[in-house]
Amino acid sequence: MSRNTLYASIALMLVVLIGSAGAYWGIKKFRQKQNQEFRFEGKLTARQDGVEPDKFKEAILTDAVMTKAITEHDLVSRWGLSDEVAAKVKLTEKFSVKVEGREITVGFQDKDKSLAQAVLKSLMASLYEQAHGKQSGGGM
């Protein structure tokens, strides 16, 4: 084998190696991009310290509130689920509550950016309606 043939074969192997590594990296980044979900968050201030995130999440995600959000945004068909019960389970999984002192951060995530924002807004509006209804109803 001549020297030029040896150099050409080494160069070809390097190009194949670098090309395959680049293709692997590109496919990996593409898959990460497809699995990306957008998260929207809202902050609230609690009246007292020691709010438990799980109890607060249960208070917000009542059956009526979840049913309203599912029908309002047609989540069963958008997520490709079989029924409303499966949509409630997925809604509960995608909704998060974090508590730091008196600050409560509620969040919702989804692959569709506008849907994530709209669902969080409707959940926050339902929370406001619950709190406002309790305050005005309790005073009478």
Side-chain angles (χ1 to χ4, degrees), residues 24-36:
Y24 173 76
W25 179 80
I27 290 170
K28 186 177 176 183
K29 287 295 181 183
F30 179 73
R31 286 184 181 161
Q32 283 178 351
K33 196 78 157 170
Q34 283 197 324
N35 291 333
Q36 179 182 9

Side-chain angles (χ1 to χ4, degrees), residues 10-131:
I10 290 173
L12 181 62
M13 284 193 305
L14 283 174
V15 167
V16 169
L17 182 65
I18 292 172
S20 62
Y24 173 76
W25 179 80
I27 290 170
K28 186 177 176 183
K29 287 295 181 183
F30 179 73
R31 286 184 181 161
Q32 283 178 351
K33 196 78 157 170
Q34 283 197 324
N35 291 333
Q36 179 182 9
E37 290 193 345
F38 297 95
R39 172 179 293 281
F40 284 90
E41 293 184 340
K43 295 190 184 238
L44 306 166
T45 304
R47 292 183 183 169
Q48 60 193 15
D49 288 333
V51 176
E52 294 181 29
D54 293 334
K55 289 185 180 181
F56 190 77
K57 186 174 182 177
E58 288 176 12
I60 293 175
L61 295 180
T62 61
D63 195 44
V65 170
M66 286 194 292
T67 302
K68 180 181 174 185
I70 289 168
T71 55
E72 184 178 329
H73 301 290
D74 195 25
L75 297 179
V76 174
S77 65
R78 275 190 164 183
W79 287 338
L81 300 172
S82 59
D83 59 353
E84 191 175 301
V85 175
K88 287 180 182 179
V89 170
K90 191 167 184 174
L91 184 68
T92 305
E93 290 172 357
K94 290 182 170 280
F95 186 75
S96 64
V97 176
K98 290 183 253 173
V99 177
E100 293 179 9
R102 292 183 62 187
E103 187 174 89
I104 303 169
T105 304
V106 293
F108 189 79
Q109 67 184 35
D110 194 69
K111 290 182 180 183
D112 184 2
K113 187 176 186 178
S114 60
L115 178 65
Q117 185 178 20
V119 170
L120 182 63
K121 281 184 179 180
S122 70
L123 292 174
M124 294 296 284
S126 296
L127 174 65
Y128 177 76
E129 288 172 5
Q130 286 177 355

